[in-house]
Amino acid sequence: EKNITLDSAARIELSCRLDNKYSHLKSLQVTWKRGNETIRHINKTENSWSIQLRILDNSKMGSYSCTLKGEEEISAMFHLQVPKIEGKEKPIVSYEGDTAVMICKSLGYTPIAWTWYMTNGSEQIAINDSLLADKYVINRISANVTHLKILKLTTEDDGVYWCEAAFELGKSKGKLKLKVLSLMVPLKPFLAIVAEVVILVGIVFLYEMYSKKKEKCAEDEKEFDQVEQL
């Protein structure tokens, strides 16, 4: 399998060459397909078969395969795709009231335009200047990089965000996750430690009280025994 990245119209040639270890195979039938549609190959040499493609729009993108049938069946696959967008795999973690900045990049390719989306249930809502201008700020740092800044975070901002890059031959998306924590979250470990200390001090105090009470009872019994003896 081979991935071929294209961002604009181009002429390309896909070629399948039979490896030397399969040179013993004879009477091979070669079939080229785009998805399930059979297409004819144009050029053929002794152990190589190729097709030439003119990719003008997204309709010609997708998967192409060549299959060689003989004593054995051998296949090769080519995936024509638009550039992938680099987002961030790990969630971005921030706290209520803070500002979060999410970044998307297109390495080596320049998008025509960028669009940001926020996920609301199963629906994706486009984020633009008209959508809460005092909440979202979009900066295109360079032609290949875009930033989404979310101001005054609340727990409602927690969720999945998408950046979409538009290329001449199609669109590509990057996925980012934002985790907004309550201000109580960093206090929880501290409160837990305080609670443990209070419980421990209470146990020590009760033990001391019990010990003193036991000692007093022992002294009273001893004094009673002495009085009886007298």
Side-chain angles (χ1 to χ4, degrees), residues 101-150:
V101 178
M102 288 180 278
I103 304 171
C104 278
K105 299 178 182 178
S106 171
L107 299 178
Y109 299 92
T110 303
I112 299 169
W114 287 97
T115 307
W116 282 92
Y117 296 90
M118 60 186 293
T119 303
N120 185 6
S122 59
E123 186 182 2
Q124 289 184 0
I125 302 171
I127 300 172
N128 50 45
D129 296 337
S130 61
L131 182 66
L132 300 176
D134 59 339
K135 181 71 173 178
Y136 304 104
V137 179
I138 299 174
N139 294 320
R140 188 165 179 173
I141 304 303
S142 68
N144 294 38
V145 182
T146 179
H147 286 188
L148 172 64
K149 186 184 291 184
I150 306 177

Side-chain angles (χ1 to χ4, degrees), residues 195-212:
E196 288 179 3
V197 171
V198 169
I199 292 170
L200 183 60
V201 170
I203 291 172
V204 171
F205 177 75
L206 291 173
Y207 179 76
E208 289 290 333
M209 292 288 291
Y210 174 75
S211 298
K212 287 180 179 180

Side-chain angles (χ1 to χ4, degrees), residues 37-50:
E37 177 191 355
T38 301
I39 52 179
R40 295 178 59 186
H41 61 270
I42 300 172
N43 300 324
K44 177 184 180 305
T45 62
E46 185 177 353
N47 288 317
S48 177
W49 299 263
S50 62

Side-chain angles (χ1 to χ4, degrees), residues 22-202:
Y22 295 111
S23 58
H24 63 282
L25 297 178
K26 305 296 180 184
S27 304
L28 292 171
Q29 293 182 344
V30 181
T31 305
W32 277 91
K33 287 187 176 183
R34 178 184 173 274
N36 295 321
E37 177 191 355
T38 301
I39 52 179
R40 295 178 59 186
H41 61 270
I42 300 172
N43 300 324
K44 177 184 180 305
T45 62
E46 185 177 353
N47 288 317
S48 177
W49 299 263
S50 62
I51 57 172
Q52 292 182 347
L53 302 172
R54 191 180 177 192
I55 310 298
L56 298 177
D57 54 45
N58 189 257
S59 65
K60 296 294 183 182
M61 302 291 276
S63 297
Y64 291 78
S65 65
C66 66
T67 304
L68 281 65
K69 290 182 180 179
E71 300 166 18
E72 300 178 40
E73 183 173 308
I74 311 164
S75 295
M77 186 77 73
F78 302 87
H79 301 287
L80 273 58
Q81 59 190 23
V82 292
K84 290 187 176 180
I85 301 304
E86 182 181 314
K88 193 172 184 178
E89 292 184 7
K90 294 183 178 179
I92 299 166
V93 180
S94 193
Y95 293 95
E96 286 182 303
D98 286 350
T99 296
V101 178
M102 288 180 278
I103 304 171
C104 278
K105 299 178 182 178
S106 171
L107 299 178
Y109 299 92
T110 303
I112 299 169
W114 287 97
T115 307
W116 282 92
Y117 296 90
M118 60 186 293
T119 303
N120 185 6
S122 59
E123 186 182 2
Q124 289 184 0
I125 302 171
I127 300 172
N128 50 45
D129 296 337
S130 61
L131 182 66
L132 300 176
D134 59 339
K135 181 71 173 178
Y136 304 104
V137 179
I138 299 174
N139 294 320
R140 188 165 179 173
I141 304 303
S142 68
N144 294 38
V145 182
T146 179
H147 286 188
L148 172 64
K149 186 184 291 184
I150 306 177
L151 310 172
K152 300 174 184 176
L153 290 173
T154 67
T155 52
E156 292 180 358
D157 296 317
D158 189 292
V160 177
Y161 293 78
W162 301 85
C163 58
E164 182 182 80
F167 297 96
E168 188 179 326
L169 294 178
K171 296 177 179 180
S172 184
K173 285 186 177 182
K175 182 180 180 181
L176 302 99
K177 291 182 180 179
L178 176 62
K179 185 69 177 175
V180 181
L181 302 178
S182 167
L183 291 173
M184 287 298 293
V185 171
L187 291 176
K188 284 181 180 179
F190 173 74
L191 295 175
I193 293 171
V194 170
E196 288 179 3
V197 171
V198 169
I199 292 170
L200 183 60
V201 170

Side-chain angles (χ1 to χ4, degrees), residues 210-220:
Y210 174 75
S211 298
K212 287 180 179 180
K213 188 175 181 181
K214 192 173 181 182
E215 287 176 6
K216 189 175 184 304
C217 288
E219 288 177 0
D220 291 344

